[in-house]
Amino acid sequence: MRIWIKTPLAILADNAAGGLVVEDARIVECLAAGATPAAPVDETFDASAHVVVPGLVNTHHHFFQTLTRAHPQAINKELFPWLMSLYPIWAKNVTPETFRMGTRLALTELMMSGCTTAADHHYLFPAGLEDAIDIQVEEATRLGIRMTVTRGSMNLSQKDGGLPPDTVVQDEDTILADSERVLSRYHDTSDGAKIQVALAPCAPFTVTKHLMRESVALAERFDCRLHTHLGETIDEDDYCLHHFQCRPVDYLEDCGWLNERVWLAHGIHFTDDEIARLGRHRVGVCHCPTSNMVLASGQCRTRELEAAGSPVGLGVDGSASNDNSNLMEGLRHALMINRLTYDAASVTHYDTFRWATEGSARCLGREDIGSIAVGKQADLALYTLEELRFSGSGDPLAALVLCGAHTADRVMIGGEWTVVDKRPVTIDIERLRAEHGAAAKRFLEAL
Ligand code: ZN
């Protein structure tokens, strides 16, 4: 099957004004203005009303948190008190059924915003939710979206000086055995993989040093990525100084985590020396602008991190600190917060697209996605500029970010259309809204 996505209104790719040709799962030709495909095509899609960009890649989320959006007990707090309010509510109400709905909603919402690959950091395993990773794989497969499923973990609870309650943590043996199980079952290292698995101990204040080290050993054995939260808040600095007598990056190094398998969520509170060390070891950072503003966590030093050698990607973060899963909106927020950190001329819409595509792909260790080029997977997001918010706009690519695009008109993943006319192909969104809303209600019942 060969399809020509013909003469787009604008496209984020070099020398491709004539569009691109997709054959099966891959991009096989990029056409200059006026050029036609080298061989006959089966189908031509007229993209003259579409702005075409590489499928966006989300590198940090907590899907289950879509069930506690704008929760009255959590709003208007910073990270630690926000977490302390939510842990018991999650522990009591996240079941296989509610978790499935949370996952389905987050993936659908991400995909409708133009996201074609999503990583979820799932670290909550209350009794009964042992199959969380299996549920996520099922839901991603059903939707057709590419996913890095992370087998997260917490094994340091309040009785041992950690932050989470005892009911939401697991012991190290259970965590490592299940990590090995899901890696063996789902981790696909081949080119064009739909599902990959990464290991993701939650944060310095929720896991033991021993588990951090064992996770590195397992990641090396299975050739997978490693992920955790780091440098999100000053509270975390204080926690590390108090418990480990060092700063978070020193702790990370002590755990054997300064290596290029690792990408970190947030990466805000780093010194110049720490940024240089992270860059030297090619540790990736997922910038989460919306969450960082909602929780008043601070501003990620994206330019210094990239200059030092760290891949910088983009993430919406969990839907209780965003509180949506719209990655396209994340680009707009990234532009704005980075202009407060730097200045208008040195942060443009191209930077935000680079973070959300190539940078995110590098964080996930993938070379087969993240740009529109011959040989890459055909992961594309196509937007029209028909909504009122775009009326009068000049530069189409800049308009997506500056005017605030929210919903892709079409999304293609591995050569398959997964969103057509702004609606996901395999999901009834009215039904999803009703079922997810009903599942989320119980999270308010204890109030
Ligand atoms: Zn997070």
Side-chain angles (χ1 to χ4, degrees):
M1 181 71 181
R2 283 168 60 85
I3 175 168
W4 179 13
I5 296 171
K6 187 182 172 186
T7 55
L9 175 64
I11 183 165
L12 188 60
D14 291 336
N15 208 21
L20 59 129
V21 178
V22 172
E23 187 171 313
D24 300 326
R26 287 171 199 282
I27 297 164
V28 292
E29 278 187 80
C30 288
L31 303 168
T36 55
V41 295
D42 303 297
E43 202 179 304
T44 300
F45 176 79
D46 176 5
S48 56
H50 291 84
V51 184
V52 181
V53 304
L56 309 179
V57 180
N58 190 60
T59 51
H60 188 66
H61 204 313
H62 310 288
F63 291 169
F64 72 92
Q65 293 181 8
T66 61
L67 298 155
T68 50
R69 288 171 162 169
H71 197 287
Q73 287 186 359
I75 53 172
N76 312 326
K77 292 178 180 172
E78 296 186 9
L79 182 71
F80 276 22
W82 175 89
L83 278 171
M84 297 305 288
S85 301
L86 286 168
Y87 278 140
I89 297 168
W90 292 334
K92 183 166 163 238
N93 298 297
V94 178
T95 64
E97 294 73 31
T98 58
F99 182 70
R100 185 179 290 281
M101 295 320 302
T103 297
R104 189 177 299 170
L105 188 114
L107 282 170
T108 305
E109 197 186 354
L110 279 168
M111 195 173 75
M112 289 174 71
S113 77
C115 174
T116 54
T117 300
D120 189 47
H121 187 170
H122 185 70
Y123 54 78
L124 194 80
F125 290 83
L129 195 62
E130 290 79 9
D131 294 341
I133 301 305
D134 308 77
I135 290 171
Q136 291 202 322
V137 172
E138 279 172 28
E139 290 299 319
T141 304
R142 170 187 166 135
L143 207 58
I145 195 167
R146 230 179 272 286
M147 193 171 166
T148 294
V149 189
T150 77
R151 206 305 178 181
S153 53
M154 298 198 291
N155 72 334
L156 190 70
S157 65
Q158 285 164 3
K159 69 176 165 44
D160 301 313
L163 213 58
D166 302 341
T167 50
V168 293
V169 304
Q170 293 178 305
D171 64 69
E172 185 179 302
D173 288 346
T174 305
I175 290 164
L176 291 173
D178 192 54
S179 299
E180 208 167 324
R181 178 186 73 84
V182 297
L183 279 163
S184 304
R185 184 153 184 202
Y186 299 118
H187 185 46
D188 180 358
T189 54
S190 66
D191 197 68
K194 279 287 182 71
I195 301 289
Q196 297 196 328
V197 178
L199 298 180
C202 187
F205 45 86
T206 59
V207 295
T208 60
K209 188 180 284 187
H210 194 261
L211 179 59
M212 291 290 283
R213 288 180 174 156
E214 290 297 311
S215 299
V216 177
L218 202 54
E220 282 171 2
R221 227 174 92 209
F222 282 87
D223 189 19
C224 76
R225 310 291 288 178
L226 287 160
H227 183 49
T228 192
H229 293 93
L230 206 89
E232 184 174 0
T233 63
I234 300 291
D235 283 343
E236 177 192 316
D237 285 355
D238 295 342
Y239 182 94
C240 287
L241 286 169
H242 178 73
H243 287 83
F244 312 127
Q245 294 75 51
C246 64
R247 288 179 45 79
V249 172
D250 300 321
Y251 177 71
L252 203 68
E253 184 165 29
D254 192 27
C255 294
W257 274 58
L258 284 196
N259 68 69
E260 57 187 20
R261 286 188 191 283
V262 174
W263 91 100
L264 306 171
H266 304 292
I268 296 169
H269 300 284
F270 295 145
T271 64
D272 291 346
D273 170 65
E274 288 165 350
I275 287 174
R277 283 157 66 200
L278 292 165
R280 197 159 57 240
H281 293 283
R282 301 290 180 263
V283 174
V285 172
C286 168
H287 175 32
C288 301
T290 313
S291 167
N292 296 163
M293 290 189 278
V294 167
L295 297 178
S297 300
Q299 294 162 236
C300 176
R301 294 168 65 193
T302 52
R303 291 185 68 81
E304 288 90 337
L305 283 161
E306 280 190 314
S310 285
V312 171
L314 212 61
V316 297
D317 200 5
S319 283
S321 64
N322 182 312
D323 292 49
N324 70 37
S325 306
N326 193 304
L327 186 52
M328 195 61 221
E329 184 187 79
L331 273 78
R332 189 166 191 245
H333 289 163
L335 183 95
M336 292 171 175
I337 192 172
N338 278 275
R339 282 188 172 178
L340 289 180
T341 311
Y342 304 105
D343 57 68
S346 55
V347 183
T348 75
H349 58 286
Y350 288 111
D351 294 300
T352 66
F353 276 115
R354 184 181 65 257
W355 295 328
T357 58
E358 292 173 49
S360 281
R362 286 182 65 203
C363 283
L364 299 185
R366 297 198 66 143
E367 294 178 358
D368 55 345
I369 59 169
S371 62
I372 295 174
V374 171
K376 300 277 183 182
Q377 288 289 305
D379 289 6
L380 307 167
L382 287 73
Y383 303 84
T384 57
L385 304 180
E386 290 161 355
E387 295 162 54
L388 292 181
R389 68 180 78 209
F390 298 112
S391 186
S393 60
D395 181 324
L397 274 168
L400 291 184
V401 178
L402 295 172
C403 305
H406 257 231
T407 308
D409 183 59
R410 288 212 169 213
V411 173
M412 176 181 274
I413 304 177
E416 301 279 341
W417 292 117
T418 57
V419 172
V420 171
D421 297 337
K422 298 187 166 63
R423 298 183 78 87
V425 170
T426 62
I427 292 275
D428 176 339
I429 51 175
E430 283 75 25
R431 185 174 165 190
L432 172 59
R433 174 72 181 83
E435 290 178 347
H436 179 274
K441 262 202 176 121
R442 63 186 285 173
F443 289 76
L444 294 166
E445 275 167 9
L447 298 180

